[in-house]
Every structure is written in structure tokens, then in C-alpha cells.
């Protein structure tokens, strides 16, 4: 699929869409702020990871060689507190949750970034940058702590719009009477008694939160790179402080595009620790297929708020099932007509099978819509709608036609058309990260297993109810047969009569208003 549109992205710095141009032709450097590894990752983490994974995939699709860096914060107050509560070594605890995060990312089909640096492995780079900032007279030392002097940053607030005179002590930046300005922030924190620490020119301690990303992005991508991403919560103070300290270390530093994904909300309230209304990725994927969660996460534009509801996940799960059932049906129908078999069919009067005009139009529409929407700041919200749905309808309609007796040439043309449209559908799914490495049949079975779990049933329960319904229909007890079907539909199980056989598949439950998933633990969407 050739790129026929100019790729435009929204730059948080300029607050407008801009044509994407790289520092170095054909190459992209991208840094995305990762997780603080002290607990299982939650829906906010999943949204950031999936959205920037789509960007990573799309840039590769456009032909760029992408160096994608996503960090782990494995040294932090939250980690120390949790380790102390559990009686565990801080780095052991953070390593454990880094590994759990990677499991979640694999489940969500996020490609592995080029580099996944951890703070604990980059102390020398961090200390070198702090030294440079001090040497440039933009930081000062107080009792083993090193603070960045925001007064030395003339453009402070350029990303967030925050003005220094509007800052109030205690808001987002810790109150400390030793600071020259209440907005000054720590580059290095002196060690507290018994706390994990590293030696430095300023005494034992550890880095502040903001400096780690500046040091690691500069180490892997240099001081000038293309994209810096993260959640919208990070614009201030994290990314604002990153800009200030990185420019203090190197005046030539520059990020071309700052990109931020929107909040995840729960029934239109922002998910947060204080409200206790957030869910871990693992809680959701225990009940819904990870592909359903990924489909849900790209169902809104990445910059828009994304409202979580159970019915939204039910709808996403149903959409994924329809996609994979269509692909499975297509594979089953085409299996007797593999490429080798097609070559063995004699041509009729010198004619070769051609893709039909209807299929060509379907492919053209899908390509055009995909390219137009993706090139417009990754508008994934509208990609799986009109043209994509028409492509799936074309496949299903063609499969029905293929079952009917028709001239050989028309049959071959239909087969070639199905192959071509299926290929285009899979290309779109692959770029969106919705094409599983598992077989279509395996994904369908996994989706059915999740549906049974949500319904509180096992497959034998459903099969037994199908038998009861069949007997009721045989006895002309249609009230009972209808009730059995209705009861299952409420639980998200649909019965379908195919000839003399009744089969079942997952569906969106009739009752949309249901209790949300249980909350077992809490965290903010930007931890």
C-alpha cells in the first residue's frame, strides 16, 4: 500500500497539525515514556503503549527505519515504598513488574521497541548530564540534593503554557524551603537512611524523575530527534521539565514533534487512584481477548478521551469475532483453490482469471480510506468502519456466490478477487496490530472461551441447553425454546440454526448495563 498522502501529526508544542519531516531522511527517532514498575500495569498504560505501537507500525509501513525507545522507571519513591511494604529488594520488585509489563505488551500485540532502557542501568549517563547542567550554571547543590533552577530556563512553560509566576508551592512540585524558587525540581536526591543509592560527585543518592528520560533519550537518539510521546498527563511537569533540563545540558537539543495520548475515563470519570475506578490490563484480559482490548483502545482518536464501559468492550469483542470469522470462512473456502491448484485449471480460450471490478473498487476504497485517515494524525477511530466493513461484506457475499454453480472462468475470477480483498484486509489489520500470529480458528476459540467465562458457563452447559431447545422445538414447545435462546443472549451467547444443526457464538449481551470489573488495586494513569 503506497503512501499517497502527506503524513500529518499533531504537535503538542505548536498545538497544530504539521507535515511530518524527519531530521535524517528515511530514519525516525522516537522516545516514549514508559511505566514506573511497582505494580501491574493498567488501562492508561495500555492505551499509551498501543497508540504508540500503531505509530511505530505505521512509520515502518511508510518505509522509515525507526529507532523506538521506551523506558522503564525502576528507581522511584513508589517502588521503594512498595518494596518496603512487601519486604522485597527494590530492584527485584521493579524487575518483576517490568517483566509482567512485557507479558501484557505481548498479549496486546505491541511490537518490541528497539531499546527498553532502565534507569538503574544508566546512572553514568544521568550523572554526566547533571554535571553538564551544573557546569552550565543551571542547577545548584543543597545538602546532597541537586536542584534545577527554572529561572535559568527562559522558555520554561513553552510546551504546557504554564507560567512561573502562576505556580503555587506544593502543586505538582514538592515544597522545600531550600529551593531558590518553589518550582525548582530535583535532578539528584540525596540518599535517605537505609535507602538504595548510587555514588555521585554530590554524595550517595538517586536521580529525580525527570532527568532519567532526558539522559536516556539523548543516549539512544542524541539531543536532536523526531518524536517524544507519552500520556497527556506528562505534559506538565514531566515533559516541560525534560525540555528545560535537556536544553540546559545542550543548547542544540530539539524534539521535532511532541505527541500525547488522551486520558482513559471510566463512565466519563477520569480513572484515578483517589476514585478507585481503574482496572489493570490483566483484569481485563482475564475476561476479554487481548485483541478485543486493543480494538477498543484504537476505537477513539488517540488524542481524545477514551471512555471505558463494559458494553464498549463487549462491542469490541464482537467486532473482532466477526472479523476473524470472516477470515476463517474465507480461508476454508479458498483452501481447495490454493495457488498450485489454480495453475492446474486450464485457461478457457486464452482468458486468464481477473479480479472483478467490484473487488477492485472495494480494494481502492479501503486503501484510500486507510491512507487518508492514517495520514491525518493516525485517525484510527474511523478506519475499521465504512470501507473496511464493506470489504468484509464483500468477502461474505462472494463466499455465498462461490458456493453456487457457475462457469469456471467466473469462479476463478471470484477466487482471485477474494484473495486480493482478503490480502488488503489483512494488511490493514497488521498495521493496526490486530492480525494475530495465532490461526484464525485459534483466535475464534479463544474468543469463545472468554465469552463462556463472562457468562459463567462451560461449553457443555451451552451444548446441554442446545439439546433442551432442540427437544422443545421437536415437541412444539416454542415458548421454552425461545426462552432458552433469550436467556443465553442475555449472557452473551447467541444460538444460530444452520440447517438441521444449532451452533453458538459470542454476541453482545442484550443487557448493556452491567457491573464493571472488580477493582483489586489502584494506581494513576501516569504512574
Amino acid at each position: 500500500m503506497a503512501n499517497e498522502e502527506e503524513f500529518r501529526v499533531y504537535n503538542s508544542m505548536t498545538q497544530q497539525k504539521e507535515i511530518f519531516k524527519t531530521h535524517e531522511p528515511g530514519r525516525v527517532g522516537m522516545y516514549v515514556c514508559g511505566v514506573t514498575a511497582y505494580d501491574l500495569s493498567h488501562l492508561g498504560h495500555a492505551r499509551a503503549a498501543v497508540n504508540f505501537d500503531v505509530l511505530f507500525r505505521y512509520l515502518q509501513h511508510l518505509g522509515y527505519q525507526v529507532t523506538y525507545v521506551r523506558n522503564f522507571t525502576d528507581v522511584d519513591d513508589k517502588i521503594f515504598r512498595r518494596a518496603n511494604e512487601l519486604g522485597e529488594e527494590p530492584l527485584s520488585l521493579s524487575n518483576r513488574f517490568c517483566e509482567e509489563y512485557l507479558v501484557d505488551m505481548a498479549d496486546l500485540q505491541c511490537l518490541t521497541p528497539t531499546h527498553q532502557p532502565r534507569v538503574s542501568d544508566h546512572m553514568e549517563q544521568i550523572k554526566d548530564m547533571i554535571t553538564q547542567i551544573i557546569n552550565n550554571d543551571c542547577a545548584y547543590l543543597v545538602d546532597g540534593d541537586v536542584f534545577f533552577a527554572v529561572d535559568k530556563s527562559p522558555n520554561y512553560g513553552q510546551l504546557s503554557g504554564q507560567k512561573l509566576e502562576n505556580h503555587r508551592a506544593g502543586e505538582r512540585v514538592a515544597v522545600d524551603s531550600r529551593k531558590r524558587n518553589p518550582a525548582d525540581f530535583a535532578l539528584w536526591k540525596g540518599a535517605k537512611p537505609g535507602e538504595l543509592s548510587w555514588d555521585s560527585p554530590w554524595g550517595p543518592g538517586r536521580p529525580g524523575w525527570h532527568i532519567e528520560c532526558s539522559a536516556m533519550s539523548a543516549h539512544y537518539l542524541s539531543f536532536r530527534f523526531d518524536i517524544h510521546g507519552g500520556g497527556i498527563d506528562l505534559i506538565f511537569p514531566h515533559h516541560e521539565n525534560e525540555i528545560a533540563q535537556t536544553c540546559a545540558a545542550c543548547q542544540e537539543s530539539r524534539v521535532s514533534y511532541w505527541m500525547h495520548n488522551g486520558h482513559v475515563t471510566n463512565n466519563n470519570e477520569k480513572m484515578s487512584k483517589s476514585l478507585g475506578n481503574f482496572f489493570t490490563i490483566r483484569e481485563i484480559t482475564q475476561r476479554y481477548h487481548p485483541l478485543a482490548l486493543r480494538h477498543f483502545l484504537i476505537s477513539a482518536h488517540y488524542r481524545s478521551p477514551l471512555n471505558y464501559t463494559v458494553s464498549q468492550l463487549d462491542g469490541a469483542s464482537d467486532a473482532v469475532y466477526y472479523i476473524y470469522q470472516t477470515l476463517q470462512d474465507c480461508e476454508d473456502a479458498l483452501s481447495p483453490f490454493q495457488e498450485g491448484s489454480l495453475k492446474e485449471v486450464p485457461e478457457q480460450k486464452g482468458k486468464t482469471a481477473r479480479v472483478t471490478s467490484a473487488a477492485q473498487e472495494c480494494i481502492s476504497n479501503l486503501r484510500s480510506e486507510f491512507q487518508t485517515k492514517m495520514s491525518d494524525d493516525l485517525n484510527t477511530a474511523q478506519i475499521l468502519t465504512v470501507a473496511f466493513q464493506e470489504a468484509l461484506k464483500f468477502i461474505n457475499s462472494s463466499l455465498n456466490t462461490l458456493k453456487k454453480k457457475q462457469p469456471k472462468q467466473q469462479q476463478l475470477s471470484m477466487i482471485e478477487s477474494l484473495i486480493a480483498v482478503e490480502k488488503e484486509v489483512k494488511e490493514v489489520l497488521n498495521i493496526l496490530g490486530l492480525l494475530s500470529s495465532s490461526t484464525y480458528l485459534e483466535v475464534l476459540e479463544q474468543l469463545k472461551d472468554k465469552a463462556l467465562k463472562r457468562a459463567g458457563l462451560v461449553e457443555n452447559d451451552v451444548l446441554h441447553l442446545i439439546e433442551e431447545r432442540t427437544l422443545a422445538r421437536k415437541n412444539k414447545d416454542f415458548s421454552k425454546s425461545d426462552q432458552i435462546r433469550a436467556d443465553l443472549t442475555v449472557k452473551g451467547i447467541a444460538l444460530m440454526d444452520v440447517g438441521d444443526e444449532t451452533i453458538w457464538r459470542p454476541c453482545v449481551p442484550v443487557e448493556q448495563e452491567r457491573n464493571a470489573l472488580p477493582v483489586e488495586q489502584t494506581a494513576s494513569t501516569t504512574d
Side-chain angles (χ1 to χ4, degrees), residues 207-219:
W209 177 31
H210 313 298
I211 191 65
E212 63 185 58
C213 288
S214 290
M216 289 189 287
S217 63
H219 176 67

Side-chain angles (χ1 to χ4, degrees), residues 192-426:
K192 298 174 184 176
E195 187 177 79
L196 179 66
S197 64
W198 287 260
D199 290 334
S200 80
W202 320 288
R206 60 182 179 81
W209 177 31
H210 313 298
I211 191 65
E212 63 185 58
C213 288
S214 290
M216 289 189 287
S217 63
H219 176 67
Y220 288 98
L221 300 173
S222 83
F223 280 96
R224 295 175 67 88
F225 59 94
D226 302 294
I227 298 170
H228 196 314
I232 195 171
D233 317 55
L234 300 180
I235 290 178
F236 185 84
H238 186 51
H239 288 164
E240 192 69 72
N241 289 350
E242 270 194 68
I243 294 170
Q245 66 199 7
T246 305
C247 290
C250 175
Q251 290 184 350
E252 303 303 314
S253 67
R254 181 174 182 269
V255 172
S256 297
Y257 307 94
W258 289 86
M259 298 179 68
H260 297 91
N261 63 274
H263 293 303
V264 179
T265 60
N266 182 0
N267 294 320
N268 296 312
E269 285 188 305
K270 179 189 171 184
M271 288 191 177
S272 70
K273 182 175 181 179
S274 59
L275 294 174
N277 65 346
F278 93 102
F279 311 110
T280 65
I281 299 170
R282 205 70 56 87
E283 283 176 307
I284 295 173
T285 56
Q286 284 173 353
R287 295 170 58 82
Y288 291 89
H289 196 288
L291 283 174
L293 177 53
R294 186 174 179 110
H295 187 287
F296 163 69
L297 290 169
I298 65 173
S299 65
H301 191 278
Y302 77 90
R303 288 190 286 114
S304 302
L306 177 64
N307 188 43
Y308 164 85
T309 63
V310 170
S311 60
Q312 290 269 55
L313 274 175
D314 286 334
S317 183
D318 195 58
V320 172
Y321 192 91
Y322 173 59
I323 291 168
Y324 273 79
Q325 186 63 68
T326 299
L327 292 174
Q328 179 62 51
D329 291 344
C330 188
E331 183 178 86
D332 290 342
L334 294 178
S335 59
F337 307 101
Q338 296 302 321
E339 187 175 352
S341 301
L342 287 172
K343 288 181 178 177
E344 293 172 7
V345 178
E347 296 180 0
Q348 294 189 348
K349 298 181 181 180
K351 295 181 180 179
T352 57
R354 295 182 181 276
V355 174
T356 65
S357 59
Q360 290 173 350
E361 182 180 2
C362 183
I363 291 168
S364 177
N365 289 342
L366 182 54
R367 285 183 181 178
S368 176
E369 186 169 289
F370 177 81
Q371 290 162 4
T372 300
K373 300 304 180 184
M374 287 296 280
S375 65
D376 183 19
D377 194 31
L378 300 177
N379 191 1
T380 59
Q382 298 181 27
I383 287 174
L384 296 178
T385 54
V386 183
F388 185 84
Q389 292 301 317
E390 287 300 319
L392 295 181
K393 289 178 183 177
F394 175 88
I395 291 174
N396 284 313
S397 175
S398 299
L399 292 176
N400 290 329
T401 303
L402 195 60
K403 294 174 184 176
K404 301 174 183 177
K405 193 170 183 178
Q406 56 187 319
K408 180 62 67 176
Q409 195 65 29
Q410 290 183 19
Q411 183 188 56
L412 293 178
S413 184
M414 184 61 68
I415 291 166
E416 293 288 359
S417 298
L418 276 167
I419 291 171
V421 174
E422 181 202 30
K423 180 181 178 182
E424 204 68 28
V425 165
K426 288 167 64 177

